[in-house]
mmCIF file of all heavy atoms in Angstrom:
data_model
loop_
_atom_site.group_PDB
_atom_site.id
_atom_site.type_symbol
_atom_site.label_atom_id
_atom_site.label_comp_id
_atom_site.label_asym_id
_atom_site.label_seq_id
_atom_site.Cartn_x
_atom_site.Cartn_y
_atom_site.Cartn_z
ATOM 1 N N LEU A 1 32.806 48.512 45.155
ATOM 2 C CA LEU A 1 32.302 47.779 43.996
ATOM 3 C C LEU A 1 32.522 46.291 44.181
ATOM 4 O O LEU A 1 33.584 45.863 44.636
ATOM 5 C CB LEU A 1 33.024 48.243 42.725
ATOM 6 C CG LEU A 1 32.903 49.737 42.408
ATOM 7 C CD1 LEU A 1 33.864 50.127 41.303
ATOM 8 C CD2 LEU A 1 31.477 50.079 42.023
ATOM 9 N N ASP A 2 31.519 45.504 43.764
ATOM 10 C CA ASP A 2 31.663 44.055 43.831
ATOM 11 C C ASP A 2 32.360 43.541 42.573
ATOM 12 O O ASP A 2 32.798 44.332 41.724
ATOM 13 C CB ASP A 2 30.307 43.377 44.068
ATOM 14 C CG ASP A 2 29.336 43.494 42.898
ATOM 15 O OD1 ASP A 2 29.737 43.902 41.767
ATOM 16 O OD2 ASP A 2 28.154 43.173 43.099
ATOM 17 N N ALA A 3 32.452 42.236 42.428
ATOM 18 C CA ALA A 3 33.163 41.619 41.295
ATOM 19 C C ALA A 3 32.517 41.939 39.952
ATOM 20 O O ALA A 3 33.148 41.818 38.903
ATOM 21 C CB ALA A 3 33.247 40.113 41.494
ATOM 22 N N ASP A 4 31.247 42.345 39.964
ATOM 23 C CA ASP A 4 30.535 42.716 38.730
ATOM 24 C C ASP A 4 30.474 44.230 38.539
ATOM 25 O O ASP A 4 29.670 44.722 37.740
ATOM 26 C CB ASP A 4 29.114 42.135 38.759
ATOM 27 C CG ASP A 4 29.122 40.614 38.778
ATOM 28 O OD1 ASP A 4 29.942 40.000 38.063
ATOM 29 O OD2 ASP A 4 28.309 40.039 39.532
ATOM 30 N N ASP A 5 31.282 44.955 39.283
ATOM 31 C CA ASP A 5 31.339 46.423 39.239
ATOM 32 C C ASP A 5 30.035 47.084 39.664
ATOM 33 O O ASP A 5 29.735 48.215 39.287
ATOM 34 C CB ASP A 5 31.755 46.933 37.851
ATOM 35 C CG ASP A 5 33.141 46.477 37.458
ATOM 36 O OD1 ASP A 5 33.890 46.013 38.339
ATOM 37 O OD2 ASP A 5 33.481 46.582 36.266
ATOM 38 N N LYS A 6 29.262 46.416 40.482
ATOM 39 C CA LYS A 6 28.033 46.979 41.043
ATOM 40 C C LYS A 6 28.371 47.665 42.359
ATOM 41 O O LYS A 6 29.154 47.160 43.160
ATOM 42 C CB LYS A 6 26.975 45.892 41.286
ATOM 43 C CG LYS A 6 26.596 45.117 40.040
ATOM 44 C CD LYS A 6 25.816 45.972 39.074
ATOM 45 C CE LYS A 6 25.342 45.148 37.903
ATOM 46 N NZ LYS A 6 25.807 45.627 36.630
ATOM 47 N N ILE A 7 27.744 48.791 42.605
ATOM 48 C CA ILE A 7 27.976 49.536 43.839
ATOM 49 C C ILE A 7 27.259 48.846 44.987
ATOM 50 O O ILE A 7 26.058 48.611 44.922
ATOM 51 C CB ILE A 7 27.477 50.984 43.703
ATOM 52 C CG1 ILE A 7 28.264 51.711 42.613
ATOM 53 C CG2 ILE A 7 27.584 51.721 45.032
ATOM 54 C CD1 ILE A 7 27.737 53.076 42.275
ATOM 55 N N VAL A 8 28.016 48.524 46.038
ATOM 56 C CA VAL A 8 27.416 47.938 47.237
ATOM 57 C C VAL A 8 27.454 48.917 48.410
ATOM 58 O O VAL A 8 26.786 48.704 49.415
ATOM 59 C CB VAL A 8 28.068 46.590 47.629
ATOM 60 C CG1 VAL A 8 27.843 45.552 46.545
ATOM 61 C CG2 VAL A 8 29.548 46.745 47.901
ATOM 62 N N TRP A 9 28.242 49.988 48.268
ATOM 63 C CA TRP A 9 28.285 51.063 49.255
ATOM 64 C C TRP A 9 28.837 52.294 48.563
ATOM 65 O O TRP A 9 29.681 52.192 47.661
ATOM 66 C CB TRP A 9 29.196 50.683 50.428
ATOM 67 C CG TRP A 9 29.431 51.803 51.401
ATOM 68 C CD1 TRP A 9 28.606 52.191 52.423
ATOM 69 C CD2 TRP A 9 30.552 52.693 51.440
ATOM 70 N NE1 TRP A 9 29.150 53.268 53.081
ATOM 71 C CE2 TRP A 9 30.350 53.597 52.500
ATOM 72 C CE3 TRP A 9 31.702 52.829 50.670
ATOM 73 C CZ2 TRP A 9 31.250 54.607 52.828
ATOM 74 C CZ3 TRP A 9 32.610 53.824 50.981
ATOM 75 C CH2 TRP A 9 32.379 54.697 52.054
ATOM 76 N N SER A 10 28.352 53.447 48.968
ATOM 77 C CA SER A 10 28.903 54.690 48.441
ATOM 78 C C SER A 10 28.756 55.796 49.465
ATOM 79 O O SER A 10 27.919 55.735 50.372
ATOM 80 C CB SER A 10 28.209 55.094 47.129
ATOM 81 O OG SER A 10 26.851 55.425 47.359
ATOM 82 N N LEU A 11 29.586 56.792 49.305
ATOM 83 C CA LEU A 11 29.517 58.009 50.099
ATOM 84 C C LEU A 11 29.705 59.159 49.126
ATOM 85 O O LEU A 11 30.736 59.253 48.456
ATOM 86 C CB LEU A 11 30.600 58.029 51.180
ATOM 87 C CG LEU A 11 30.681 59.322 52.006
ATOM 88 C CD1 LEU A 11 29.400 59.534 52.817
ATOM 89 C CD2 LEU A 11 31.891 59.302 52.915
ATOM 90 N N THR A 12 28.686 60.006 49.022
ATOM 91 C CA THR A 12 28.722 61.156 48.125
ATOM 92 C C THR A 12 28.630 62.438 48.956
ATOM 93 O O THR A 12 28.252 62.395 50.128
ATOM 94 C CB THR A 12 27.551 61.122 47.124
ATOM 95 O OG1 THR A 12 26.334 61.378 47.843
ATOM 96 C CG2 THR A 12 27.474 59.783 46.404
ATOM 97 N N PRO A 13 28.947 63.594 48.373
ATOM 98 C CA PRO A 13 28.804 64.851 49.115
ATOM 99 C C PRO A 13 27.372 65.074 49.610
ATOM 100 O O PRO A 13 27.163 65.669 50.666
ATOM 101 C CB PRO A 13 29.204 65.915 48.090
ATOM 102 C CG PRO A 13 30.112 65.203 47.151
ATOM 103 C CD PRO A 13 29.561 63.798 47.069
ATOM 104 N N GLN A 14 26.395 64.567 48.890
ATOM 105 C CA GLN A 14 24.996 64.730 49.286
ATOM 106 C C GLN A 14 24.649 63.880 50.514
ATOM 107 O O GLN A 14 23.747 64.227 51.272
ATOM 108 C CB GLN A 14 24.059 64.371 48.127
ATOM 109 C CG GLN A 14 24.174 65.292 46.923
ATOM 110 C CD GLN A 14 25.417 65.032 46.076
ATOM 111 O OE1 GLN A 14 25.965 63.940 46.051
ATOM 112 N NE2 GLN A 14 25.895 66.075 45.395
ATOM 113 N N ASP A 15 25.358 62.775 50.709
ATOM 114 C CA ASP A 15 25.097 61.915 51.867
ATOM 115 C C ASP A 15 25.442 62.613 53.183
ATOM 116 O O ASP A 15 24.728 62.443 54.175
ATOM 117 C CB ASP A 15 25.889 60.610 51.769
ATOM 118 C CG ASP A 15 25.453 59.736 50.613
ATOM 119 O OD1 ASP A 15 24.261 59.765 50.247
ATOM 120 O OD2 ASP A 15 26.322 59.026 50.062
ATOM 121 N N LEU A 16 26.541 63.347 53.189
ATOM 122 C CA LEU A 16 27.002 64.024 54.411
ATOM 123 C C LEU A 16 27.484 65.433 54.059
ATOM 124 O O LEU A 16 28.695 65.708 54.020
ATOM 125 C CB LEU A 16 28.124 63.229 55.081
ATOM 126 C CG LEU A 16 27.716 61.891 55.688
ATOM 127 C CD1 LEU A 16 28.928 61.075 56.097
ATOM 128 C CD2 LEU A 16 26.786 62.103 56.870
ATOM 129 N N PRO A 17 26.552 66.359 53.779
ATOM 130 C CA PRO A 17 26.956 67.704 53.351
ATOM 131 C C PRO A 17 27.845 68.428 54.361
ATOM 132 O O PRO A 17 28.661 69.267 53.987
ATOM 133 C CB PRO A 17 25.633 68.446 53.155
ATOM 134 C CG PRO A 17 24.544 67.519 53.510
ATOM 135 C CD PRO A 17 25.120 66.185 53.826
ATOM 136 N N GLU A 18 27.720 68.097 55.652
ATOM 137 C CA GLU A 18 28.526 68.779 56.675
ATOM 138 C C GLU A 18 30.025 68.554 56.487
ATOM 139 O O GLU A 18 30.836 69.343 56.968
ATOM 140 C CB GLU A 18 28.101 68.352 58.068
ATOM 141 C CG GLU A 18 28.487 66.913 58.398
ATOM 142 C CD GLU A 18 27.926 66.451 59.733
ATOM 143 O OE1 GLU A 18 26.787 65.965 59.751
ATOM 144 O OE2 GLU A 18 28.642 66.576 60.741
ATOM 145 N N LEU A 19 30.416 67.489 55.765
ATOM 146 C CA LEU A 19 31.836 67.227 55.528
ATOM 147 C C LEU A 19 32.422 68.174 54.484
ATOM 148 O O LEU A 19 33.631 68.345 54.405
ATOM 149 C CB LEU A 19 32.061 65.781 55.089
ATOM 150 C CG LEU A 19 31.769 64.713 56.135
ATOM 151 C CD1 LEU A 19 31.908 63.325 55.534
ATOM 152 C CD2 LEU A 19 32.671 64.873 57.349
ATOM 153 N N ASN A 20 31.556 68.755 53.640
ATOM 154 C CA ASN A 20 31.998 69.652 52.580
ATOM 155 C C ASN A 20 33.091 68.995 51.731
ATOM 156 O O ASN A 20 34.182 69.531 51.548
ATOM 157 C CB ASN A 20 32.483 70.978 53.171
ATOM 158 C CG ASN A 20 32.651 72.049 52.125
ATOM 159 O OD1 ASN A 20 32.011 72.011 51.082
ATOM 160 N ND2 ASN A 20 33.523 73.005 52.395
ATOM 161 N N LEU A 21 32.790 67.795 51.228
ATOM 162 C CA LEU A 21 33.756 67.025 50.442
ATOM 163 C C LEU A 21 34.124 67.764 49.161
ATOM 164 O O LEU A 21 33.259 68.183 48.407
ATOM 165 C CB LEU A 21 33.186 65.648 50.088
ATOM 166 C CG LEU A 21 32.949 64.700 51.256
ATOM 167 C CD1 LEU A 21 32.256 63.427 50.771
ATOM 168 C CD2 LEU A 21 34.247 64.361 51.948
ATOM 169 N N LYS A 22 35.423 67.882 48.909
ATOM 170 C CA LYS A 22 35.938 68.552 47.710
ATOM 171 C C LYS A 22 36.763 67.617 46.834
ATOM 172 O O LYS A 22 36.816 67.794 45.633
ATOM 173 C CB LYS A 22 36.799 69.755 48.086
ATOM 174 C CG LYS A 22 36.089 70.805 48.884
ATOM 175 C CD LYS A 22 35.058 71.502 48.045
ATOM 176 C CE LYS A 22 34.400 72.608 48.845
ATOM 177 N NZ LYS A 22 33.147 73.026 48.269
ATOM 178 N N TYR A 23 37.442 66.658 47.466
ATOM 179 C CA TYR A 23 38.344 65.783 46.713
ATOM 180 C C TYR A 23 38.480 64.468 47.489
ATOM 181 O O TYR A 23 39.110 64.427 48.541
ATOM 182 C CB TYR A 23 39.719 66.448 46.566
ATOM 183 C CG TYR A 23 40.699 65.694 45.699
ATOM 184 C CD1 TYR A 23 40.986 66.137 44.413
ATOM 185 C CD2 TYR A 23 41.356 64.564 46.165
ATOM 186 C CE1 TYR A 23 41.905 65.465 43.614
ATOM 187 C CE2 TYR A 23 42.270 63.888 45.374
ATOM 188 C CZ TYR A 23 42.539 64.349 44.103
ATOM 189 O OH TYR A 23 43.445 63.681 43.321
ATOM 190 N N ALA A 24 37.873 63.422 46.977
ATOM 191 C CA ALA A 24 37.932 62.107 47.625
ATOM 192 C C ALA A 24 39.256 61.448 47.257
ATOM 193 O O ALA A 24 39.554 61.254 46.087
ATOM 194 C CB ALA A 24 36.758 61.239 47.186
#
C-alpha cells in the first residue's frame, strides 16, 4: 500500500493457485 492506502502490488490465491495459499 502507498501513502494513500492504494494498492500498488498484491498477491492473492487466484494469482498463483499452485501455492495453495491458506494463511498469509
Side-chain angles (χ1 to χ4, degrees):
L1 302 169
D2 68 12
D4 297 319
D5 298 345
K6 302 290 185 239
I7 297 172
V8 296
W9 173 82
S10 66
L11 176 64
T12 70
Q14 295 76 26
D15 294 329
L16 292 170
E18 70 186 87
L19 293 175
N20 193 25
L21 294 174
K22 300 291 183 198
Y23 185 105

